[in-house]
Amino acid sequence: MPDSTSARITDAAPAAREVRGTSGPPVAGWLERIVRSKAVAVTALVLPGLWPAWPIVNQDPSVLADPGEYLLHHLGFVACVLLAVVLTFTPLRVLFPRWRAAVALNRHRRLVGVTVFVYAALHFVMYLIYEGGFGKLASDIGKPFILSGTVALGILFALTITSVDRAVRALGARRWKHLHRLVYLGAALAAYHQIDASKVFPLQVVWIFGPMLVLQGARIVKRFVRSDPAPPPRVPQIGSPKT
Amino acid sequence: MHLRFKKEWELPESAVTPESYYRKRREFLKTVGLGVAGWAFGGSSLFAATGGFPTKLNPNYPPGDLKVTPYEFITSYNNFYEFGLEKDEPKVNANKGWKSEPWTVEIAGEVRNPMKIDVNDLIAKVGGIEQRVYRHRCVEAWSMVVPWDGFPLAKLVALADPKAEAKFLRMTTFFDPKNVPGQRTDALDWPYVEGLRLDEANHELAFIATGIYGEPIPNQNGAPLRLVVPWKYGFKGVKSIVKFEFTTRQPRNTWNVMAPREYGFYANVNPTVAHPRWSQATERVIGAGFRAVRQDTLMFNGYEKQVAGLYAGLDLRKNY
């Protein structure tokens, strides 16, 4: 999805810095302050991982009947939701450049992206433990259900290890950007994987990935209807303070 | 005419002395963790099941080495899409005012004795109920061991007295979208339909459950009548049946209509034929907790000796 607007900024922190300097009053609104907060972001990312403790402490028999399956599905579910959420950050900023909360959201883009990988990796570990290890993976890898999940995880892994500043520098801005566009393929595979996990079409896939698709679509439309010519792509700033 | 031959593993009636049966019953009660409750009931009956019918363990189908799944898991982990797509939903949604009594059952089609009958009258007519401990294997690769109460399906077939043209039995779930949330969606093609060949329906393992653990079968498990065919995947076990129809043609069962590539008519448990999306070679044991328990799935779910003869000459890979 080539887009010169997003090409200007590949790291979240400079995004916030740039726009803060150009627009809006100097005092942050309450929403922006909440969204900017690192503590809020970390809490929001960790809580879904702790959620399974609730039904287990409460001895919910529907969960205790097959707790491994519950954890497996929950971790995959959280990974899908966070992946869809993080892919709304850039469109929100592009569509509402004066909305400072949307700008602040982009400070956490890398953090949320890496968290997606962590949940997906835990989901995979749960699969290995519970479904029969690498032997099972090897025998089932030909099935689109298993293949889509495995490839999506591979993409997330590649993006995660190249998310450190040193990797950006080593790859160069252009190559780094092309590589990280794989996230859209990863999201498509994750959505397919989630659909294929159910016997009937799971409506939740629509509300997980639907809003993100709408925003991404609007972002593309905005780019084409914009009257002023797009500025030339800029090299991402590296070595910026970590968000 | 239906001939019934004794299997070599069946005990003759005379071998079941009251005393030995009594011991078996004690063992069974201990196994299922109801030992204390069992003391309260004398004689040969355990508990009241649907309509107050007494039930007792059929000594041909004891738990044996099987580890019986706790009652709360059997009744809290359900696939019953009429009441929600998640496992925990049927227990909630099936007990919010949807009524499984009174319940009328229709027996129709190519039979000499068609009828509409109250479910309790039906149970009385087939001679009451008994308990059998069966393995239960879901197509989703999980399994349970369930002490079902009910009666052999063959007794219902005998009551209906099928004509010579009858080759299949088609069973249909209720249709009540007003009280049943799932049936207001198009998740499945309602009402749910399942079918058996008549010789499968007459097989001694084919069973109509009216209870679990000696208790009336809860709504979420398919009250008041559900099919149990332990050598087939769980989705063959159509729940809350309102109609038994004897047909000349093979019925189109719901999951086969939904996804013919994934679910066949036979749906016999077969570890060597994979589901397109997952392997069927192993299964997760419900109630085994966090210990990563996966056990090998057995051919025909462990009932190969009893049912393999039904499928002699049939390509099980094609007729999945």
Side-chain angles (χ1 to χ4, degrees):
Chain A
M1 215 176 287
D3 182 331
S4 56
T5 311
S6 68
R8 289 157 69 188
I9 301 137
T10 54
D11 193 69
R17 217 165 35 213
E18 257 177 49
V19 182
R20 197 163 64 236
T22 55
S23 65
V27 181
W30 63 271
L31 182 61
E32 187 196 349
R33 261 180 292 161
I34 291 172
V35 170
R36 278 181 64 87
S37 162
K38 184 85 175 274
V40 169
V42 169
T43 307
L45 293 171
V46 169
L47 275 183
L50 300 178
W51 173 255
W54 179 253
I56 289 167
V57 167
N58 278 302
Q59 297 280 300
D60 178 348
S62 303
V63 169
L64 293 184
D66 200 351
E69 184 217 30
Y70 172 76
L71 270 186
L72 177 71
H73 289 177
H74 179 76
L75 292 166
F77 170 79
V78 174
C80 282
V81 170
L82 290 180
L83 179 56
V85 164
V86 74
L87 289 179
T88 65
F89 286 7
T90 302
L92 279 174
R93 179 174 52 71
V94 172
L95 292 166
F96 310 105
R98 279 167 206 286
W99 185 23
R100 296 176 49 141
V103 175
L105 210 49
N106 278 269
R107 288 164 56 87
H108 308 304
R109 214 169 59 159
R110 174 156 59 184
L111 175 66
V112 181
V114 170
T115 309
V116 170
F117 170 72
V118 171
Y119 277 111
L122 290 171
H123 168 71
F124 180 66
V125 168
M126 206 58 216
Y127 165 84
L128 291 180
I129 293 173
Y130 210 54
E131 299 282 331
F134 285 102
K136 181 79 182 288
L137 179 66
S139 70
D140 283 357
I141 193 75
K143 298 184 194 301
F145 172 47
I146 301 299
L147 187 62
S148 57
T150 312
V151 173
L153 181 75
I155 288 172
L156 291 174
F157 177 68
L159 305 195
T160 300
I161 57 167
T162 56
S163 68
V164 293
D165 292 340
R166 234 179 29 187
V168 183
R169 223 175 279 130
L171 279 168
R174 187 167 288 275
R175 258 185 302 171
W176 185 90
K177 183 142 190 55
H178 282 301
L179 176 69
H180 276 244
R181 279 192 189 130
L182 279 175
V183 74
Y184 298 109
L185 175 62
L189 289 168
Y192 174 83
H193 181 67
Q194 204 185 13
I195 291 167
D196 223 19
S198 301
K199 285 197 293 188
V200 297
F201 182 84
L203 263 184
Q204 63 174 17
V205 175
V206 175
W207 64 256
I208 292 174
F209 290 96
M212 180 272 281
L213 275 179
V214 169
L215 288 170
Q216 291 284 0
R219 167 197 182 184
I220 294 166
V221 170
K222 181 173 180 178
R223 186 181 159 225
F224 281 109
V225 300
R226 199 164 47 189
S227 50
D228 58 311
R234 273 175 38 186
V235 171
Q237 304 180 18
I238 55 172
S240 56
K242 287 208 176 82
T243 50
Chain B
M1 189 166 74
H2 305 289
L3 293 175
R4 190 170 175 285
F5 300 99
K6 253 201 175 9
K7 295 286 164 359
E8 80 267 28
W9 47 268
E10 270 185 81
L11 295 169
E13 212 76 54
S14 58
V16 189
T17 67
E19 202 196 334
S20 72
Y21 175 65
Y22 188 76
R23 282 217 195 91
K24 271 181 205 245
R25 186 167 74 85
R26 284 269 86 81
E27 268 171 39
F28 170 70
L29 285 172
K30 238 191 289 172
T31 313
V32 301
L34 289 172
V36 177
W39 284 104
F41 298 84
S44 58
S45 60
L46 289 181
F47 298 99
T50 299
F53 290 93
T55 183
K56 61 178 186 183
L57 179 66
N58 179 334
N60 287 331
Y61 308 96
D65 298 333
L66 300 174
K67 198 172 175 301
V68 182
T69 307
Y71 181 81
E72 56 168 353
F73 294 151
I74 297 172
T75 56
S76 306
Y77 188 85
N78 306 104
N79 274 329
F80 198 170
Y81 282 10
E82 283 79 347
F83 295 105
L85 303 185
E86 301 295 328
K87 300 281 190 297
D88 57 340
E89 286 179 311
K91 187 182 186 176
V92 177
N93 294 333
N95 295 295
K96 274 189 191 165
W98 175 71
K99 292 266 178 282
S100 56
E101 60 175 330
W103 193 271
T104 306
V105 186
E106 186 181 357
I107 296 177
E110 305 294 332
V111 293
R112 288 185 198 86
N113 196 12
M115 64 182 88
K116 279 188 178 167
I117 185 169
D118 175 78
V119 62
N120 290 316
D121 296 341
L122 174 67
I123 295 169
K125 276 205 172 181
V126 297
I129 58 176
E130 62 180 56
Q131 188 164 71
R132 297 180 174 193
V133 179
Y134 278 163
R135 293 186 188 85
H136 178 83
R137 171 62 156 79
C138 179
V139 74
E140 296 166 351
W142 53 263
S143 69
M144 295 181 178
V145 175
V146 185
W148 301 104
D149 304 277
F151 57 86
L153 180 55
K155 286 191 180 178
L156 185 144
V157 174
L159 180 70
D161 195 5
K163 298 176 188 165
E165 305 91 275
K167 297 283 185 282
F168 296 92
L169 176 54
R170 180 179 191 270
M171 286 153 281
T172 310
T173 300
F174 66 87
F175 184 61
D176 182 11
K178 219 173 86 189
N179 295 307
V180 177
Q183 291 185 333
R184 296 196 288 270
T185 73
D186 55 4
L188 289 181
D189 189 10
W190 316 110
Y192 196 89
V193 170
E194 260 306 338
L196 294 172
R197 273 184 355 207
L198 200 55
D199 60 339
E200 294 178 318
N202 266 322
H203 192 277
E204 56 214 302
L205 285 172
F207 199 64
I208 296 291
T210 66
I212 295 173
Y213 270 97
E215 308 256 5
I217 191 166
N219 285 353
Q220 64 267 29
N221 292 83
L225 293 179
R226 75 164 283 172
L227 177 67
V228 178
V229 270
W231 71 96
K232 293 175 181 286
Y233 291 120
F235 72 85
K236 290 298 284 186
V238 48
K239 298 187 178 83
S240 306
I241 303 168
V242 293
K243 191 172 183 182
F244 294 86
E245 191 180 0
F246 293 77
T247 64
T248 54
R249 292 198 184 164
Q250 182 172 304
R252 301 198 63 203
N253 50 318
T254 300
W255 276 108
N256 182 236
V257 173
M258 294 292 296
R261 220 171 53 83
E262 302 190 357
Y263 311 103
F265 173 75
Y266 284 96
N268 290 320
V269 176
N270 188 340
T272 66
V273 176
H275 184 279
R277 288 181 265 158
W278 56 82
S279 155
Q280 296 289 27
T282 61
E283 63 204 33
R284 304 189 309 276
V285 180
I286 296 300
F290 275 110
R291 290 165 293 135
V293 176
R294 263 197 110 82
Q295 67 186 25
D296 288 345
T297 292
L298 303 170
M299 188 66 199
F300 292 112
N301 201 24
Y303 300 98
E304 183 170 14
K305 208 167 141 194
Q306 291 94 317
V307 301
L310 290 172
Y311 310 105
L314 192 74
D315 183 347
L316 295 174
R317 194 160 285 278
K318 261 187 208 149
N319 297 283
Y320 50 85

